Amino acid sequence: MNTRILGGIGIAALAVVPLLGLGNYHLHILITVLIWGFVYTSWSIMGRFGMVSLGHGAFLGVGAYVATMLWNTMGLSPWVGIPVAMLVSMAMALLVGYPCFRFRIVGHYFALVTLALGEVVRLTIVGLRDQTGGSLGMTVTGVPEGTSLLALQFGDRSTFFYVALLVWLGGLVIWRLVDRSMLRYALEASSEDEDAAASVGVNVTRAKLMILMISAAMTTLGGALYAQYQMYINPETVSGIAISLQIVFAVIAGGLFTQLGPTVGAVFTLLLAETLRVTFGHDIHGLDGTIYGLLLVLFIIYMPKGITGSIMAGLTRRRRPTPAAAPAE
Amino acid sequence: MLEVRNVSAGYGSFRALFDVSLEVRAGEAVGVIGPNGAGKTTLLRVISKIIAPTSGSVVMEGQDLSRVPAHRVVEMGIAHVPEHRRLFPRLTVEENLRMGAFHPEARRRHAERLDFVYELFPRMKERRLQMAGTMSGGEQQMCAIGRGLMSGPKLLLLDEPSAGLAPVIVQQVFSLVRRIRAEGYTVLIVEQNIQQVLQVVDRAYLLEVGTIKQSGPSAELLASPEIRRAYLGL
């Protein structure tokens, strides 16, 4: 109840942000946080069940490239192109996921398979140079008037802010729906013991495929949204290993098991990247990657529940000063 | 109710069961006894389809299980309480029990089943919000049996319910098994604790290195000179 009121206030506060007359830069930061917050949420929907994907860039790439190519070459509106891209991603997830889950490729081995998937998509984009522009990337053809609902292009940043806000909220809603579904129990059980889960009646393969496809479809939407916002895409920035790993890092930093964890991760990584960029410029190449890696290690050792998880653990501890004294009725 | 016909099974090139046949009739409690490594657990795993037999078949109420996948076995009325309990340690007791009523048919009657299990194991009600992995071994065993009962099974498979428990707790677990029997469940129980289990079941099969060596009513097996010498140390 309390959290619902807090949530309402939070959403209302976010909704008036563009009216505050923020400059373009700050609005840009906020939109970026919302888009990546949504992507990270999409990853964590699956990642929280021990299904660590190191290749979600694959789905981002499909979202960005399929929607953009359909628009650029055939003039097909992203309103159609995005669902098409989501279907492509889900088919890809099915193709890779089914054999993995059927033959119990879990843990590190699953992570390696997804890592390969991300690379396959990236190399495919690079390889299809004539269609995709290869490593040089691709520009989304702009509409002459600058703003068009049909083309999902908005010259004005604050309109795009609302689009991103809606999508991000949608991601949180899906997170909550999954959290309250039997699918969650099925997946938690499967992540602990597949045999035991199967013997209480969980179709482990199906449950895992479902969550992978949900996660893939959402990530694809995130990729397409990113393309619509940036108006320029590049295989490295949507499907590179760096992006796939950044997703994992951000979610672990923010908190894997809480609804807002991935968003907090997005804020954290973005602030970090911006601070590094402003302080050091582009002088020291690879500095951000080094710091990410270092922080990731520190987070895993000292804050395995991430920022939000640690804050919540702290709050419960304060509310109940002596946790050991809780009697068993 | 359950018929195991000439089942052979193994892991890779290792064969654990050779041509095993047994039968459980409705309302019975049947034991499979034998030493470590005799293939007792493998037998239960074959019945609940966690592993596939290399030959032979398992028939539940006239239906051949060979084409039924593991997650559908529960719907056929078979609940497997696996060896070492295999709870989901980071889920609460109640969540573990809920998992037992996972399939849609059982989910509909979930509240009613939960009441039944809590009535049977009041301790579980006290601990309902505790993480299952933090309970004592005996409590975890209760929780595992409770999880099995949540699906409203016709046949309960118990794999070594006494394993790793203190002697006092073992007594408690066996008296629970007796109560579950009294509730009308058909039980197939696998045990190393031969003396105890023979006091709970009607009949038993002695399994040694993958083959059935002896079978009969409990009293008869308890009196059998070979069993007394080899297993009871008398």
Side-chain angles (χ1 to χ4, degrees):
Chain A
M1 203 48 136
N2 236 336
T3 50
R4 188 166 292 181
I5 295 168
L6 267 174
I9 294 171
I11 293 167
L14 279 174
V16 298
V17 160
L19 308 176
L20 300 178
L22 290 176
N24 265 345
Y25 173 69
H26 291 105
L27 213 47
H28 165 74
I29 295 283
L30 282 173
I31 294 170
T32 311
V33 163
L34 289 174
I35 294 176
W36 287 109
F38 172 74
V39 170
Y40 299 161
T41 306
S42 313
W43 184 90
S44 79
I45 259 178
M46 174 172 105
R48 64 187 287 220
F49 300 114
M51 295 161 68
V52 173
S53 160
L54 299 181
H56 257 44
F59 306 121
L60 275 178
V62 168
Y65 273 88
V66 170
T68 304
M69 284 165 75
L70 287 175
W71 167 250
N72 282 7
T73 59
M74 298 163 65
L76 205 59
S77 158
W79 290 98
V80 181
I82 292 174
V84 170
M86 286 162 92
L87 286 178
V88 171
S89 271
M90 282 159 85
M92 203 163 74
L94 190 69
L95 201 70
V96 174
Y98 182 77
C100 273
F101 303 147
R102 180 72 185 71
F103 297 110
R104 298 220 178 160
I105 293 171
V106 294
H108 303 111
Y109 298 99
F110 177 70
L112 286 175
V113 171
T114 56
L115 187 69
L117 177 67
E119 277 302 272
V120 166
V121 169
R122 186 184 67 83
L123 291 170
T124 306
I125 296 170
V126 174
L128 291 174
R129 194 167 290 113
D130 295 335
Q131 287 78 34
T132 61
S135 308
L136 294 175
M138 180 179 215
T139 310
V140 180
T141 310
V143 284
E145 58 273 34
T147 297
S148 154
L149 185 62
L150 188 73
L152 258 185
Q153 290 177 16
F154 307 101
D156 169 29
R157 273 193 214 275
S158 44
T159 317
F160 208 95
F161 174 85
Y162 287 114
V163 174
L165 182 66
L166 273 181
V167 171
W168 173 74
L169 281 173
L172 295 187
V173 169
I174 297 175
W175 192 96
R176 177 56 61 92
L177 287 177
V178 169
D179 191 55
R180 293 195 172 164
S181 68
M182 282 309 279
L183 183 61
R184 173 195 155 191
Y185 288 101
L187 286 164
E188 276 190 7
S190 308
S191 80
E192 293 197 6
D193 191 331
E194 292 203 2
D195 277 342
S199 61
V200 297
V202 174
N203 186 342
V204 176
T205 306
R206 216 189 70 169
K208 287 183 156 187
L209 268 181
M210 276 175 72
I211 205 72
L212 175 62
M213 285 167 75
I214 293 172
S215 176
M218 288 170 69
T219 309
T220 306
L221 173 60
L225 196 64
Y226 174 81
Q228 295 300 125
Y229 179 61
Q230 296 283 339
M231 298 294 280
Y232 167 75
I233 50 181
N234 172 305
E236 283 306 325
T237 56
V238 293
S239 289
I241 284 184
I243 291 300
S244 294
L245 293 183
Q246 189 187 313
I247 296 178
V248 183
F249 167 68
V251 175
I252 290 174
L256 185 49
F257 303 105
T258 52
Q259 192 180 16
L260 285 177
T263 306
V264 172
V267 174
F268 180 75
T269 44
L270 201 74
L271 288 182
L272 190 67
E274 285 299 293
T275 313
L276 291 177
R277 191 177 62 83
V278 172
T279 323
F280 298 102
H282 293 289
D283 297 344
I284 313 175
H285 198 69
L287 181 69
D288 50 347
T290 311
I291 292 183
Y292 277 165
L294 206 64
L295 280 174
L296 182 61
V297 173
L298 293 176
F299 266 110
I300 289 173
I301 295 174
Y302 296 106
M303 282 172 88
K305 287 179 182 165
I307 298 169
T308 52
S310 301
I311 290 174
M312 279 171 67
L315 286 179
T316 8
R317 217 174 297 136
R318 205 181 299 169
R319 231 174 275 160
R320 258 191 298 147
T322 46
E329 277 144 83
Chain B
M1 175 178 274
L2 178 83
E3 247 184 287
V4 175
R5 293 179 188 153
N6 310 100
V7 160
S8 298
Y11 305 91
S13 61
F14 172 75
R15 284 184 75 191
L17 291 177
F18 301 87
D19 208 25
V20 169
S21 296
L22 62 81
E23 191 195 355
V24 182
R25 291 186 284 267
E28 263 192 322
V30 174
V32 174
I33 56 178
N36 248 341
K40 304 186 297 298
T41 296
T42 308
L43 177 63
L44 291 193
R45 290 166 69 98
V46 167
I47 295 173
S48 60
K49 296 301 303 270
I50 292 172
I51 61 169
T54 47
S55 65
S57 61
V58 178
V59 178
M60 173 73 178
E61 295 191 310
Q63 198 178 338
D64 190 340
L65 294 187
S66 38
R67 295 193 158 268
V68 179
H71 64 271
R72 300 290 300 275
V73 169
V74 207
E75 290 166 47
M76 313 277 304
I78 300 177
H80 186 173
V81 180
E83 192 179 17
H84 309 307
R85 310 177 270 277
R86 305 284 281 266
L87 292 175
F88 306 117
R90 283 172 304 157
L91 299 188
T92 65
V93 169
E94 191 154 305
E95 286 169 336
N96 265 279
L97 292 176
R98 261 186 86 163
M99 281 310 300
F102 184 79
H103 74 263
E105 187 66 34
R107 220 180 291 167
R108 232 171 291 137
R109 310 185 53 205
H110 151 260
E112 184 189 322
R113 303 292 313 168
L114 196 62
D115 285 342
F116 168 73
V117 170
Y118 281 154
E119 196 188 318
L120 205 59
F121 308 118
R123 183 76 63 82
M124 292 302 105
K125 190 167 191 172
E126 288 165 22
R127 310 243 154 175
R128 50 189 281 264
L129 299 180
Q130 190 172 334
M131 283 220 263
T134 63
M135 295 194 298
S136 74
E139 288 166 340
Q140 291 193 24
Q141 186 62 53
M142 284 184 204
C143 187
I145 296 176
R147 185 178 69 187
L149 291 173
M150 284 297 290
S151 64
K154 296 170 188 153
L155 174 67
L156 192 64
L157 306 178
L158 295 177
D159 194 350
E160 301 254 4
S162 78
L165 300 181
V168 194
I169 311 293
V170 170
Q171 296 278 2
Q172 285 177 15
V173 168
F174 279 110
S175 64
L176 270 170
V177 173
R178 216 172 268 133
R179 279 192 59 195
I180 288 163
R181 272 217 61 191
E183 294 282 341
Y185 287 96
T186 307
V187 180
L188 178 62
I189 176 169
V190 150
E191 256 300 341
Q192 278 190 63
N193 195 330
I194 292 170
Q195 173 111 44
Q196 294 269 4
V197 79
L198 286 179
Q199 289 168 14
V200 177
V201 297
D202 306 305
R203 294 188 297 121
Y205 295 83
L206 172 65
L207 194 62
E208 274 180 1
V209 280
T211 46
I212 292 197
K213 283 280 159 63
Q214 221 178 328
S215 67
S218 311
E220 202 175 285
L221 289 178
L222 266 175
S224 137
E226 298 95 86
I227 289 190
R228 287 171 69 88
R229 191 162 5 91
Y231 296 105
L232 303 178
L234 298 171

